[in-house]
Amino acid sequence: MRVDILGITVNTYSMRETVEKIRLSVENQVRTRVVTANPEMIYASNQDQRLRELINSADIITADGIGVVWAARQLGTPVQERVTGIDLVQSLFPIANAQKWRLFFLGGKPGVVEKAIKQVVQKYPEIDLKGHHGYFSLEEENRVLRDILAFQPDVLLVGLGAPRQEYWLAQHPQLATVSIGVGGSFDALAGIVIRAPKRLQEFHLEWLYRLWKEPRRWKRQTVLPRFVIKVLLQGIGRKTP
Ligand code: UDP
């Protein structure tokens, strides 16, 4: 089931359902592109038809953040819970470990992705992991593409920032069975960015914690009130016959 939020058709799946879909895609070798859609991305795509079509053409679009969960409820088709990029990645690791999947991490500053790989391999030694930082030139890009293709990942995680990673993944669908845009997840996996304490996450206040820790996000978050207003207007339009 999907809910249309400002033109983006977000899946209503829970985390468990999303993980299960991805597991089946890997098992059955079904190419699957996943977008974790946060309010900024949804708002941007509302203004940009090309981006909107590109996101909507993904096989799975998850509700990345409490703002999207709220919007879905407002619009009458609740999603079960938020499915953020980093939570999805963390939830995939135990299965990837049990099934000995090949994972490729692309993105993050040089040094960061190596650190992320080290942390993950320590905990999940059966995952076959490779990666590359996300600051490659156009000339280097061909080599990066060849590296990924040669590795034949079951799952390719791309953290180049949105929407660049979404364009990049749509442009290179042949690289892996499952591909997921994961934003700044490698920074979190490497321990460069510390996530909000669990209590704050439970109270849906992780966004506030991130604003406090990364004040540069203030500018990006100014989109949130506009997102809220647009969703409320969409809700009114829906109710008016
Ligand atoms: N990044 C990258 N290459 C670039 C620009 C950004 O790999 O050319 C990485 C950056 O290091 C960071 C991620 O993309 O790890 C973007 O993180 P951010 O938290 O801004 O993304 P979000 O999760 O909000 O989409």
Side-chain angles (χ1 to χ4, degrees):
M1 187 122 134
R2 293 197 181 220
V3 48
D4 180 325
I5 302 175
L6 307 187
I8 293 296
T9 52
V10 176
N11 285 103
T12 56
Y13 302 145
S14 65
M15 176 62 80
R16 207 170 51 79
E17 287 166 338
T18 311
V19 167
E20 182 58 10
K21 302 261 170 220
I22 292 173
R23 189 188 68 75
L24 285 173
S25 292
V26 170
E27 201 172 291
N28 300 320
Q29 305 261 303
V30 179
R31 264 199 217 300
T32 303
R33 181 161 55 88
V34 183
V35 171
T36 57
N38 61 26
E40 293 133 88
M41 214 195 285
I42 293 177
Y43 188 84
S45 63
N46 186 249
Q47 322 279 311
D48 179 341
Q49 189 187 351
R50 190 169 152 238
L51 181 59
R52 188 162 64 246
E53 285 172 3
L54 186 130
I55 294 179
N56 280 336
S57 70
D59 303 285
I60 299 175
I61 305 173
T62 76
D64 184 343
I66 198 62
V68 185
V69 174
W70 168 83
R73 199 177 324 120
Q74 284 296 315
L75 296 169
T77 312
V79 303
Q80 302 194 32
E81 59 187 339
R82 61 183 195 146
V83 179
T84 69
I86 179 70
D87 288 330
L88 178 57
V89 169
Q90 303 263 30
S91 304
L92 284 171
F93 287 149
I95 297 175
N97 195 55
Q99 310 277 334
K100 301 185 171 41
W101 284 354
R102 281 187 305 279
L103 261 54
F104 198 102
F105 290 179
L106 178 67
K109 297 209 171 86
V112 170
V113 73
E114 290 81 355
K115 230 178 185 163
I117 289 175
K118 216 168 136 194
Q119 298 287 344
V120 175
V121 165
Q122 242 171 39
K123 198 157 172 210
Y124 301 103
E126 298 296 336
I127 302 179
D128 193 356
L129 246 175
K130 243 188 134 177
H132 196 284
H133 65 77
Y135 292 80
F136 44 86
S137 65
L138 264 180
E139 296 83 70
E140 286 163 335
E141 182 164 322
N142 278 333
R143 187 177 47 78
V144 172
L145 287 168
R146 275 199 306 275
D147 276 1
I148 301 173
L149 267 177
F151 186 59
Q152 296 194 322
D154 295 302
V155 182
L156 168 64
L157 305 177
V158 177
L160 298 174
R164 181 176 162 213
Q165 66 202 16
E166 274 63 46
Y167 281 111
W168 202 87
L169 279 173
Q171 208 184 336
H172 303 291
Q174 76 288 11
L175 295 175
T177 309
V178 174
S179 58
I180 313 174
V182 295
S185 293
F186 304 132
D187 300 333
L189 290 176
I192 307 285
V193 171
I194 309 290
R195 293 197 71 191
K198 274 271 172 294
R199 291 288 288 173
L200 280 184
Q201 289 188 37
E202 279 162 20
F203 282 106
H204 306 305
L205 288 173
E206 186 164 27
W207 59 275
L208 194 61
Y209 181 85
R210 288 189 81 180
L211 274 183
W212 171 48
K213 285 288 180 188
E214 300 169 68
R216 70 180 168 89
R217 284 186 169 266
W218 274 109
K219 205 163 153 231
R220 280 171 49 168
Q221 300 286 354
T222 55
V223 89
L224 281 179
R226 280 176 281 159
F227 172 80
V228 167
I229 289 166
K230 279 218 170 218
V231 169
L232 291 174
L233 287 175
Q234 185 186 335
I236 291 168
R238 202 175 53 88
K239 281 177 202 136
T240 320

